[in-house]
Amino acid sequence: RVVKQQPGEPNFHIFYQLLAGADDTLLQKLKLTRDPSQYTYLNQGGACASTTDAANFKEVLEAAKQMGLTAEQQETLFNVVAAVIHLGQITFADTGKGDCAISNKDVLATVAALLKTEVADLEKAMTTRVVAAKGEVYETKLTAEAASVARDALAKAAYNRLFSHLVATINTRLAPATQTGAGQGSPRTFTFGVLDIYGFEIF
């Protein structure tokens, strides 16, 4: 879903909420525009943005504050979300020598800056593959088609890592404290859970 959607299917809401609700300063810093139709990872399902995206983004910011996320942590969160959006804009061209080159190095540089990594390292991660065989390690160059697959895999991995980290952080914040006095060290009996069953949103 991060890199490909069916007709009428949106990508994850945070992408549209960021574009609609972030102030101009933040969008400029992330090098994003407000129009989701300009981004490959967001426009495949058609017009999927919601009129409530801006308001919902404010709720995301408030929830982040309530969960104790620092300004630096929130910056990292939105940097990764923006990097995923920009990754979908990177294109490749075959060189005719069995490998490929990135056609828009400016977008590559934007992603590298958002992820705080070196441009050369990011380019290598998407245009080459390391193969281990018979105790030796080989580096092979990728065609444009294979590099596109590697790019999409990187985008999915980045989003998955971000989501997993965010869930772990929230769980830590919501973890029941321990009681004091009698029964010291035993967990509180009051907890709450969130149930998210895929498919409810289409009912």
Side-chain angles (χ1 to χ4, degrees), residues 109-144:
T110 295
V111 176
L114 289 168
L115 296 179
K116 294 180 170 49
T117 189
E118 296 295 328
V119 173
D121 292 338
L122 183 60
E123 181 175 16
K124 184 177 179 180
M126 290 188 289
T127 58
T128 63
R129 177 174 55 203
V130 176
V131 179
K134 297 182 179 180
E136 295 188 36
V137 177
Y138 302 89
E139 182 179 290
T140 60
K141 296 184 178 181
L142 301 179
T143 63

Side-chain angles (χ1 to χ4, degrees), residues 9 19 23 44 53-54 57 59 68 103 114-115 117 127 134 166 181 186 195 198:
E9 178 188 31
L19 298 185
D23 59 38
Q44 299 173 55
D53 284 336
F57 184 73
E59 293 185 7
S103 304
L114 289 168
L115 296 179
T117 189
T127 58
K134 297 182 179 180
L166 190 57
S186 60
L195 177 63
Y198 174 78

Side-chain angles (χ1 to χ4, degrees), residues 73 160-170:
Q73 289 173 320
N160 179 65
R161 291 288 185 89
L162 175 63
F163 183 80
S164 297
H165 174 72
L166 190 57
V167 169
T169 300
I170 293 173

Side-chain angles (χ1 to χ4, degrees), residues 43-63:
N43 63 17
Q44 299 173 55
C48 295
S50 169
T51 56
T52 61
D53 284 336
N56 289 339
F57 184 73
K58 292 182 179 179
E59 293 185 7
V60 169
L61 293 178
E62 180 60 27

